[in-house]
């Protein structure tokens, strides 16, 4: 499947919704895990502002990649962000979109505080 790296250096990124476990099956409540590592997956909604446009993106990230306090409004860095187009058919209707995945979502509040103190 095609993966497209997303450049984030010129963007402002802030948490729109705190991390939540990614649910694999809504009927059973099963939590999604990474196929390679087995790590529990989380979803973090972020406000992504770049080029005078703002979008809310849902980013999937391993639980181990969530660092710092990620409350609403917290500025964050996205490490290894990729976009992956997807398409499926459910009940005879075709759906498509773009899924976003990152290696890590890191709070920049801790970094800014340490920089001011130093």
């Amino acid at each position: 499947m095609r993966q497209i790296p997303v450049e984030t250096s010129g963007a402002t990124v802030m948490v729109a919704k705190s991390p939540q476990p990614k649910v694999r099956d809504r009927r059973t409540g099963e939590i999604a895990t990474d196929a390679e590592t087995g790590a529990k997956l989380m979803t973090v909604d972020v406000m992504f502002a770049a080029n005078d446009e703002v979008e809310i993106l849902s980013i999937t990230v391993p639980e181990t990649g969530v660092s710092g306090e990620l409350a609403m409004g917290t500025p964050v860095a996205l490490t290894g962000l990729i976009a992956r187009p997807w398409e499926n058919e459910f009940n005879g209707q075709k759906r498509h979109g773009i899924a976003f995945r990152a290696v890590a979502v890191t709070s920049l509040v801790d970094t800014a505080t340490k920089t001011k103190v130093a």
Side-chain angles (χ1 to χ4, degrees):
M1 184 176 286
R2 184 177 183 148
Q3 295 183 8
I4 304 163
V6 178
E7 176 60 47
T8 61
S9 63
T12 299
V13 185
M14 297 169 68
V15 174
K17 185 176 179 184
S18 298
Q20 305 290 317
K22 182 175 177 114
V23 178
R24 178 184 172 130
D25 186 334
R26 290 186 179 129
R27 290 174 288 149
T28 65
E30 178 185 1
I31 303 300
T33 57
D34 184 277
E36 293 176 16
T37 65
K40 181 173 150 184
L41 294 176
M42 305 294 285
T43 300
V44 182
D45 290 352
V46 299
M47 179 199 74
F48 190 93
N51 303 321
D52 295 327
E53 293 185 23
V54 177
E55 302 254 355
I56 301 295
L57 305 178
S58 288
I59 312 288
T60 298
V61 61
E63 186 175 38
T64 56
V66 176
S67 61
E69 179 64 32
L70 299 184
M72 184 186 297
T74 304
V76 293
L78 302 173
T79 304
L81 182 64
I82 59 153
R84 180 182 300 162
W86 60 268
E87 181 177 278
N88 66 24
E89 188 171 328
F90 185 72
N91 289 335
Q93 293 195 356
K94 289 189 177 185
R95 299 177 56 198
H96 64 277
I98 300 172
F100 293 92
R101 174 116 183 213
V103 173
V105 177
T106 309
S107 171
L108 295 177
V109 172
D110 297 338
T111 305
T113 303
K114 291 175 185 172
T115 304
K116 289 179 184 177
V117 172

